[in-house]
Amino acid sequence: MTDERRRGYHGTGPGAITPDGCAVEMYARLPVNDEPEVIERAVPAGARILELGCGVGRVTHPLLDRGFTVTAVDESAEMLARVRGARTVRSPIERLDLGERFDVVMLASFLVHAGDLAVRRGLLDTCRRHVTADGCVLIQREGEDWWRNIPRERSLGPGALVRIASATPVGDGVNSVHVEYEFPDARWTQTFLARPLTTAAFEQALAESGLAVDRYLTEDRTWVRARPAAD
């Protein structure tokens, strides 16, 4: 399989750059936030998890440490090479069909905000196709006001920061987002397409793929547990 550069997505900086503009070395440096705790509280102990867009395993590894069985999917061979202890599958998420179902399917990293509507539908269809009838889908979405306060930045640790430098409308409700990552010894950038979603639009997108919100898991409503909709 060769990497397919995604139109409107690119990145700069040292090391491998994935088809959607992510720098592998930079992602390997990112800290783990509260994602493992949010996930652990939302799903049964020891659940079988399909993690879509696992990257370097930043969340995969803490989930394994908590006793979950993880199948980690990413379209980048360089990302998957950093994952340890999990079954790995290399594939674009929207084209994945493993022919099996999982207790939990996870779509994090704000991937649901894909600029291309067909890609977004493909991502959610993949979630629905791989979740058991009594299982759940965990989705991480953007805060609804995220693009009203730009530029902004936050710390990634001593001497390191991430800066959302700009979000430029490019038509059809899509923004071209430019992000800068600065570390004491290196600098990376990523540009990608993102489609902001109101709660109503997000829930409609779920419904189109046969999913329905079960519960918003965090106070800011960025983490969501969905379940297969009743037929």
Side-chain angles (χ1 to χ4, degrees):
M1 181 191 297
T2 57
D3 283 345
E4 300 176 14
R5 186 65 55 190
R6 292 183 180 267
R7 186 175 182 181
Y9 295 70
H10 58 87
T12 66
I17 304 293
T18 68
D20 60 353
C22 296
V24 175
E25 176 60 32
M26 187 280 297
Y27 271 81
R29 299 183 180 202
L30 291 182
V32 179
N33 297 314
D34 64 348
E35 297 99 330
E37 288 75 23
V38 171
I39 295 161
E40 186 175 33
R41 290 194 300 265
V43 305
R48 294 177 65 243
I49 298 177
L50 177 64
E51 183 185 7
L52 302 175
C54 65
V56 297
R58 185 179 62 88
V59 175
T60 315
H61 298 141
L63 292 178
L64 292 170
D65 291 342
R66 286 163 168 76
F68 296 105
T69 300
V70 182
T71 295
V73 177
D74 205 278
E75 66 182 347
S76 166
E78 291 87 354
M79 288 287 199
L80 290 175
R82 306 290 184 108
V83 177
R84 299 288 181 265
R87 170 194 179 193
T88 59
V89 178
R90 185 182 176 200
S91 174
I93 296 168
E94 65 270 28
R95 300 207 296 265
L96 182 71
D97 191 350
L98 296 176
E100 56 187 295
R101 294 178 182 266
F102 297 79
D103 306 316
V104 180
V105 178
M106 191 169 72
L107 185 70
S109 301
F110 316 112
L111 293 174
V112 73
H113 291 273
D116 187 316
L117 290 172
V119 170
R120 184 185 73 191
R121 177 64 183 265
L123 299 176
L124 293 174
D125 284 352
T126 294
C127 292
R128 179 65 179 86
R129 183 164 55 246
H130 289 90
V131 69
T132 60
D134 58 351
C136 65
V137 177
L138 302 184
I139 300 172
Q140 186 182 27
R141 60 191 288 259
E142 296 170 350
E144 292 186 20
D145 63 346
W146 281 22
W147 307 118
R148 300 174 193 161
N149 182 26
I150 291 178
R152 69 176 186 277
E153 61 186 46
R154 63 180 175 86
S155 172
L156 295 174
L161 61 85
V162 56
R163 178 183 301 111
I164 311 296
S166 61
T168 305
V170 293
D172 190 33
V174 176
N175 291 328
S176 177
V177 183
H178 183 71
V179 185
E180 301 166 350
Y181 298 89
E182 296 182 1
F183 288 78
D185 61 338
R187 182 178 186 274
W188 289 271
T189 71
Q190 183 182 7
T191 300
F192 58 93
L193 301 180
R195 182 182 296 273
L197 294 170
T198 64
T199 297
F202 169 71
E203 293 185 358
Q204 178 60 35
L206 294 186
E208 290 169 0
S209 292
L211 297 167
V213 170
D214 175 55
R215 184 159 67 90
Y216 287 92
L217 300 172
T218 52
E219 186 175 347
D220 62 4
R221 296 165 70 88
T222 57
W223 275 96
V224 186
R225 185 173 65 198
R227 297 195 185 274
D231 294 331

